[in-house]
Amino acid sequence: PGGELVGGARVGEVKIRDLAWVGPDHLLIITSAAMEYPGGLEVEVAQGEVLDLANNSLRSVFQNLSDVYRNMLSVHVAQIDGKPQIVFEAQNDDTYQIALYALDPVTMRSRVLERNQPNTRSYVVTPDGRRLARANYRQNDGLWQFQVEQGPGAWRTVWSTTALVDPPVMGGEGPEGDTVAVLASPVAGAPAIWRLLGLDGVWRPLPFEGDPSSLLYHPRTGRLIGAAY
């Protein structure tokens, strides 16, 4: 009751996975659909549509990116240069390397924030646009590395493990901003559990009891606030 319809658009035969405000005038609609990769491999891919509420137009985040697969491997909304922007990872269709992009929802222009080395992905991005941490995983030998930014374009590995199957999974920023939630096995052969991995490479327990199945993050700060079991 009392709600107001501010806009709408047809997104086609896709699944709507999430919605996120990008400033007061644009809404990011995250969808998923089946896509065939080269070689006939069909995968479920995530895509983004930007709804401009002023003119009720809908535009793809990939409309000005012709050299990438149309699949967002991660997505955040962050303030960069004082403006809300969509930060996402996508894979180059030639080299297969993954880069981190920032999209201005007004101009729909993208720029590269990080042009990755091979095997690098899963950035943790703070709401003010800082790259807090990232993962590097080599499938051939199972080496998984947790890396933190030491300065613009300078990254350092502070923790690593070997996992030929089921490598660790990066979550979001911890409750104090000095850790990242990571789903990983505490010892070889044990089930993976969520814990906090510090930017200094030291593990810490979650600030609540039990082994949650998923974690909850504050919509404004992006930091860990709860969990689901």
Side-chain angles (χ1 to χ4, degrees):
E4 179 184 356
L5 179 64
V6 295
R10 294 186 181 275
V11 296
E13 295 182 4
V14 297
K15 301 172 185 175
I16 295 179
R17 296 299 188 183
D18 203 0
L19 302 172
W21 285 104
V22 191
D25 302 318
H26 296 86
L27 183 69
L28 173 64
I29 305 171
I30 302 171
T31 66
S32 68
M35 175 180 174
E36 187 173 299
Y37 268 39
L41 177 65
E42 187 172 283
V43 296
E44 189 89 357
V45 300
Q47 300 189 0
E49 304 286 340
V50 179
L51 176 61
D52 186 332
L53 297 176
N55 55 32
N56 213 35
S57 66
L58 194 67
R59 296 174 290 178
S60 168
V61 299
F62 293 108
Q63 73 171 32
N64 293 319
L65 287 174
S66 59
D67 59 346
V68 301
Y69 289 116
R70 299 170 72 89
N71 182 18
M72 294 192 305
L73 300 174
S74 70
V75 61
H76 312 265
V77 174
Q79 290 282 334
I80 299 178
D81 299 330
K83 299 184 295 184
Q85 299 192 32
I86 300 166
V87 179
F88 63 96
E89 289 176 280
Q91 188 178 46
N92 186 281
D93 61 4
D94 182 26
T95 65
Y96 300 104
Q97 293 186 15
I98 298 168
L100 187 71
Y101 298 87
L103 171 72
D104 185 325
V106 177
T107 65
M108 293 302 291
R109 292 180 182 149
S110 297
R111 63 187 176 98
V112 175
L113 295 178
E114 297 278 350
R115 194 173 297 282
N116 292 353
Q117 300 298 315
N119 311 312
T120 300
R121 61 166 300 177
S122 301
Y123 282 90
V124 176
V125 180
T126 65
D128 61 0
R130 290 183 300 115
R131 273 78 82 191
L132 197 65
R134 71 182 187 185
N136 186 288
Y137 181 60
R138 298 198 311 234
Q139 289 185 317
N140 61 325
D141 61 6
L143 178 64
W144 189 91
Q145 298 173 308
F146 178 77
Q147 300 178 333
V148 298
E149 190 174 34
Q150 300 296 290
W155 294 84
R156 180 169 66 95
T157 299
V158 297
W159 187 83
S160 64
T161 188
T162 299
L164 287 169
V165 295
D166 299 328
V169 175
M170 297 270 276
E173 189 177 357
E176 303 299 328
D178 58 353
T179 59
V180 171
V182 177
L183 179 67
S185 175
V187 295
I193 60 173
W194 285 107
R195 291 177 294 162
L196 298 176
L197 182 51
L199 302 183
D200 56 1
V202 177
W203 286 98
R204 297 151 166 91
L206 292 175
F208 27 77
E209 297 180 355
D211 296 328
S213 57
S214 60
L215 302 178
L216 306 174
Y217 300 91
H218 194 284
R220 182 177 58 82
T221 68
R223 294 184 175 181
L224 178 68
I225 56 172
Y229 295 82

